[in-house]
Amino acid sequence: MIPEKMFAQTLREFFSPIGPFLDDETVSEIMINGPDTIFVERGGKLETTNARFSSPDALYAALRNLAQYVGRHFDEHNPVLEARLPDGSRVEAVMPPAAPEGPSVAIRRFAKNTLTVERLIQFQSMTLEAAQTIQSLVLGKQNIIIAGGTASGKTSLLNAISGLISEGDRIVVIEDARELQLQKPHVVPLEAQPPDPKGRGRVTIRDLFKATLRMRPDRIVVGEIRGGEAIDLIQAMTSGHGGCMTTVHANHALDTLHRLETMALMSDVEMPLIALRAQVSSAIDFVVHTSRLSDGSRCVTQIAEITGYEPGGGYSFVDIFTRDYQGKDADGKVLSELVATGALPGCHEYLQRQGYPLPRSLYEAHARRARQ
């Protein structure tokens, strides 16, 4: 058995052409489109690089060593590799025949310093009053979905918001590939596992979810919902497991509900569509939407409360915060601000009684709206 430290050093040598980017904290993503074409992302913007692997074989060797490091197969019969580098960076690689023009790789890097709500406020990703509102919702155990497009900062936002959870809560974290870094004293991390070459040992998100419900969780945090496990999360939320959080690929609060509905239908649980929609609207309390703007910045763009479902009328929601855009400055930076709409969440009295009041500015915005 090769010692892990030695294996990690050897692996780093195979990936030496991109070593400088793996050491650069300003780089958030490394994209390898074959041995001669490598891009990086800095500040939400893509940049070309002069980095090169010496040959296609050198790139294949790096990826196969990575596969060996994580105990997975990567060949023409298993052309997709999901793995992590020793530093925690997430790797997604595809090789022929699935990638006809040669191996393609995306490496998502994560900041060594965990992103916090305070830093999000500093970056103007959200306002102080929005952060205080989210804190009250988290402490009040509202079920929250973080939605957004690819590379919009969903996982980073989930990581930051989960930092608002009470210290005494037992948090079970379920992920397909481990990315979240919850800085809490009582965290139980669970990670899905692919099958071995003989098809044995597979552990799915759904398997972990079912186990989680018997592990006395105060909170269930799912890194990302991508399939039939949506039905398990929805049913957990509607059966007394409050304060659940997860991320979903979606472009708006309404899209989020439709995505959850579609993914729940992928499961083996048969349920009339009208009943499923009623459960979705009952399970999800709030959607926090994040976007990557045209200048590369990542911002919270919507905080919406899900208020119900009416047959024939569809899902209903109320925006509590929306982002107001004012154009761009001379440097191309998008000028915008997350503003309160004047609507109060339906749970505001409940939160008040529980000792988690919403910020006074929300009530002031509500009063101004009532006078208009």
Side-chain angles (χ1 to χ4, degrees), residues 98-234:
E101 296 187 4
S104 295
V105 188
I107 303 175
R108 173 70 58 83
R109 302 190 62 250
F110 300 99
K112 294 180 180 178
N113 296 321
T114 303
L115 189 65
T116 63
V117 169
E118 289 76 14
R119 294 184 67 192
L120 288 173
I121 295 170
Q122 291 173 4
F123 298 154
Q124 298 182 336
S125 175
M126 68 170 73
T127 59
L128 176 60
E129 65 176 355
Q132 291 172 337
T133 299
I134 291 174
Q135 182 176 33
S136 293
L137 299 178
V138 170
L139 293 174
K141 288 199 169 184
Q142 302 296 294
N143 293 319
I144 299 173
I145 304 291
I146 296 173
T150 300
S152 60
K154 297 185 298 299
T155 301
S156 297
L157 182 58
L158 176 58
N159 217 46
I161 289 178
S162 63
L164 302 172
I165 295 174
S166 300
E167 294 290 311
D169 283 356
R170 173 177 166 86
I171 310 165
V172 180
V173 180
I174 304 173
E175 297 183 85
D176 198 35
R178 193 171 178 184
E179 298 176 11
L180 296 174
Q181 307 166 41
L182 274 65
Q183 306 300 311
K184 292 295 175 180
H186 199 164
V187 177
V188 181
L190 304 177
E191 185 176 18
Q193 297 297 315
D196 67 12
K198 294 183 179 180
R200 302 170 304 187
R202 185 184 185 195
V203 183
T204 67
I205 293 287
R206 294 199 69 185
D207 294 331
L208 295 176
F209 215 109
K210 291 171 184 176
T212 294
L213 298 178
R214 297 180 176 89
M215 296 179 70
R216 197 225 167 264
D218 290 313
R219 305 271 187 162
I220 301 173
V221 177
V222 184
E224 182 181 353
I225 294 292
R226 294 193 288 185
E229 66 272 9
I231 190 66
D232 300 298
L233 179 65
I234 290 165

